[in-house]
Amino acid sequence: MNQKPVRVRFAPSPTGHLHVGGARTALFNWLYARNRGGKFILRIEDTDQARSTLESEEMVKHDLKWLGMDWDEGPETGGDFGPYRQSERMDFYKKHAEQLLAEGKAYRCFCTDAELTAKREQAEAENRSPHYDGTCLRLSEAKIQEKLAAGVPFTIRFKVPEKAYTLYDVIRGKVHWEPGTLGDFIILRSDKMPVYNFCVVIDDHLMEISHVVRAEEHLPNTLRQLMLYEAFGWKPPKFAHASLILGQDRSKLSKRHGATSVGQFKEEGYLPEAMVNYLALLGWNEGKDREEYTVPELIKAFSLKRINNSPSVFDLDKLKWLNGIHLRKLTGEQLAEAAEPFLIRAFPFLKSRVENRDVWVLSVLKMIQNKVVLLSEIENWLQFLFHYDLKENEEMRVFFSEEAHLTAGRLLAERILSVKNLTPENFWEAAMSIKEDGFKGKALFHPLRALLSGSLSGPELDAMVPVLLSGTEIPELVSIPERCRSFIEVFGK
Ligand code: GLU
């Protein structure tokens, strides 16, 4: 069978940040396009002029790029089906609205807002359907011309056919709507601005979109859209409506549940690879017991048919876990790139070293690569390198209040200080010499860690020692001898 080429679109309304739900919709479309060798199109739905801003469009594009989703056609990118901003496509909408009007499939409605509200309230009071009552459908041609001549403002309403509609949704299966579900709806407002449901049909058709993949909340819109496709005599695209994303309390995911915008996750130190991996699992699975995917693996495995038709719960712990996994997979260079803004913000004096990928910076990152889960934690993990203050350190006071710890600490500090030019070899030789004084295993390593880092947790000693010894030309780094001297000052006899 000759299948239509896959052309899918992400169609954000630029009225704010890119949120988790939108990012997931974009991702499902993008993965599908890439899996099928199709095209991924970015269309900006900015007909709501009061709420749409270019700034928001830029933020959305920025976040999509950060997540690694590139588009083949779009506002600046161009393409054969442009323009890709709805505000620049008004002529198409006007022409098609006039076509429906001329064919008698739509009509001018001169009812004012006040009249419409009154009709609706009355219908509700009488327990009737609140649908538009068709007053203007029954206007005579003479009456219409009279109102037009008098300049009475009007909307254009679509004449809803009295029949049932059925959609075969790729994810949800058969969706059926009985006749009378909808009243005649507006397609062009009195200010000549077309409504979302109208623009989307014209655009999806003219842009030759093959599959509309979007959130379940658009399902009621799909009915309106199916009616419009039918009115124009166009074949609708295939539809795939992905289920809602819920918070842990099983209500629709919202700001109440914490970070929901992609930018916030970036700020908190999540990696784009982990976000993409997690977002893909938010409603999709391969049918295997598998959770870790790289982007190329997702592209290969993805299919619309395996998107669930039940809601998914946003699980921050799982996202964090995946972030740790993806973080550990990075090469030194990749980790430095991802960590750069976090490092510079926390330790501005390291700026040029970080930017130049200095070997010491790379060794520092390697030291904590297996420990850090979020990039924003780097700051805490590395504080000990540049700060060593035992006086105010309650944890150390408690630890060294134990006689054995204190003795080991003093011996270690003295032995290490007695070495002239410290190298990893002679450092360890000095440290290990306290074995002869009866300190072995934990009794040696815990005091050593405490002495070196001023903490009982932190990077592995084996990784920490070379980092402390090799950064001697960095003035902010507290050297090992300085640490030993401070120790003796606070805890010496
Ligand atoms: N502009 C719509 C939104 O942001 C897009 C809906 C659609 O994909 O058709 O929700």
Side-chain angles (χ1 to χ4, degrees), residues 9 11-13 45 196 200 214 218:
R9 83 308 193 269
S13 304
E45 304 211 320
Y196 155 73
V200 106
R214 62 186 173 197
H218 284 292

Side-chain angles (χ1 to χ4, degrees), residues 9-15 22 25 29 43-47 86 196-197 200-201 204 212-215 217-218 221-222 225 239 241:
R9 83 308 193 269
F10 177 52
S13 304
T15 54
T25 298
N29 279 285
R43 184 172 73 221
I44 302 295
E45 304 211 320
D46 57 350
T47 52
Q86 286 187 330
Y196 155 73
N197 278 300
V200 106
V201 169
D204 285 342
V212 168
V213 184
R214 62 186 173 197
E217 59 208 4
H218 284 292
N221 291 325
T222 307
Q225 295 171 18
F239 288 94
H241 287 92

Side-chain angles (χ1 to χ4, degrees), residues 276-423:
V276 164
N277 187 163
Y278 182 67
L279 289 173
L281 298 181
L282 210 49
W284 170 87
N285 70 79
E286 198 187 347
K288 291 182 186 163
D289 192 13
R290 175 175 179 189
E291 310 215 280
E292 295 172 40
Y293 288 88
T294 62
V295 174
E297 286 166 348
L298 282 174
I299 291 176
K300 190 149 178 274
F302 189 78
S303 77
L304 291 179
K305 293 212 171 63
R306 291 219 52 94
I307 298 177
N308 301 330
N309 62 5
S310 51
S312 335
V313 175
F314 193 86
D315 180 350
L316 196 61
D317 290 333
K318 188 157 151 188
L319 170 59
K320 274 194 187 145
W321 169 75
L322 280 171
N323 207 58
I325 287 178
H326 284 277
L327 216 137
R328 290 195 278 284
K329 280 195 202 154
L330 298 181
T331 62
E333 178 64 32
Q334 288 169 329
L335 179 57
E337 191 181 329
E340 185 173 323
F342 295 90
L343 276 174
I344 296 178
R345 201 177 314 147
F347 312 110
F349 51 86
L350 289 180
K351 188 167 190 287
S352 68
R353 287 179 189 276
V354 174
E355 285 168 351
N356 297 323
R357 309 287 187 257
D358 154 299
V359 275
W360 186 78
V361 169
L362 294 184
S363 71
V364 164
L365 289 173
K366 189 115 209 85
M367 167 179 81
I368 53 166
Q369 183 162 17
N370 290 341
K371 303 280 183 184
V372 171
V373 174
L374 298 180
L375 293 166
S376 51
E377 294 165 4
I378 288 180
E379 175 168 4
N380 276 339
W381 280 95
L382 297 184
Q383 282 298 352
F384 81 95
L385 293 172
F386 313 106
H387 300 278
Y388 188 79
D389 182 6
L390 297 182
K391 279 196 214 86
E392 304 296 321
N393 190 329
E394 180 64 11
E395 189 190 18
M396 291 295 97
R397 212 186 49 72
V398 172
F399 180 74
F400 286 113
S401 66
E402 209 166 295
E403 193 56 35
H405 295 159
L406 185 64
T407 313
R410 284 175 182 158
L411 282 173
L412 283 164
E414 283 160 13
R415 302 273 163 87
I416 293 166
L417 269 178
S418 70
V419 182
K420 283 288 163 298
N421 293 311
L422 277 173
T423 63

Side-chain angles (χ1 to χ4, degrees), residues 367 371 449 458-465:
M367 167 179 81
K371 303 280 183 184
R449 151 179 300 287
E460 309 299 335
L461 268 173
D462 281 340
M464 197 194 294
V465 171

Side-chain angles (χ1 to χ4, degrees), residues 82-135:
Y84 293 91
R85 244 181 232 112
Q86 286 187 330
S87 58
E88 295 163 18
R89 299 175 61 80
M90 289 300 158
D91 289 348
F92 293 114
Y93 310 134
K94 189 166 166 271
K95 180 177 143 233
H96 285 90
E98 278 163 6
Q99 181 189 332
L100 291 184
L101 204 55
E103 290 172 357
K105 293 170 181 165
Y107 58 92
R108 294 183 186 87
C109 175
F110 298 93
C111 295
T112 62
D113 283 346
E115 283 164 346
L116 292 171
T117 311
K119 282 180 205 285
R120 209 169 28 242
E121 282 170 3
Q122 174 137 22
E124 272 160 19
E126 292 168 11
N127 256 336
R128 283 185 290 113
S129 122
H131 295 163
Y132 179 62
D133 65 358
T135 309

Side-chain angles (χ1 to χ4, degrees), residues 418-455:
S418 70
V419 182
K420 283 288 163 298
N421 293 311
L422 277 173
T423 63
E425 292 72 33
N426 59 30
F427 169 86
W428 281 113
E429 208 178 301
M432 291 304 155
S433 73
I434 73 159
K435 279 187 179 172
E436 279 154 32
D437 302 270
F439 297 98
K440 290 193 188 76
K442 282 186 193 161
L444 189 165
F445 289 106
H446 284 182
L448 181 58
R449 151 179 300 287
L451 165 69
L452 286 188
S453 68
S455 167

Side-chain angles (χ1 to χ4, degrees), residues 5-11 25-34 36 38-43 71-73 204 207-213 238 304:
V6 167
R7 290 179 54 80
V8 289
R9 83 308 193 269
F10 177 52
T25 298
L27 181 65
F28 284 171
N29 279 285
W30 183 79
L31 287 173
Y32 189 57
R34 296 296 170 254
R36 300 289 299 271
K39 297 277 188 251
F40 176 64
I41 293 139
L42 178 67
R43 184 172 73 221
W71 48 96
D72 305 297
E73 298 169 27
D204 285 342
M207 293 182 180
E208 297 182 11
I209 298 302
S210 61
H211 297 72
V212 168
V213 184
K238 289 202 169 68
L304 291 179

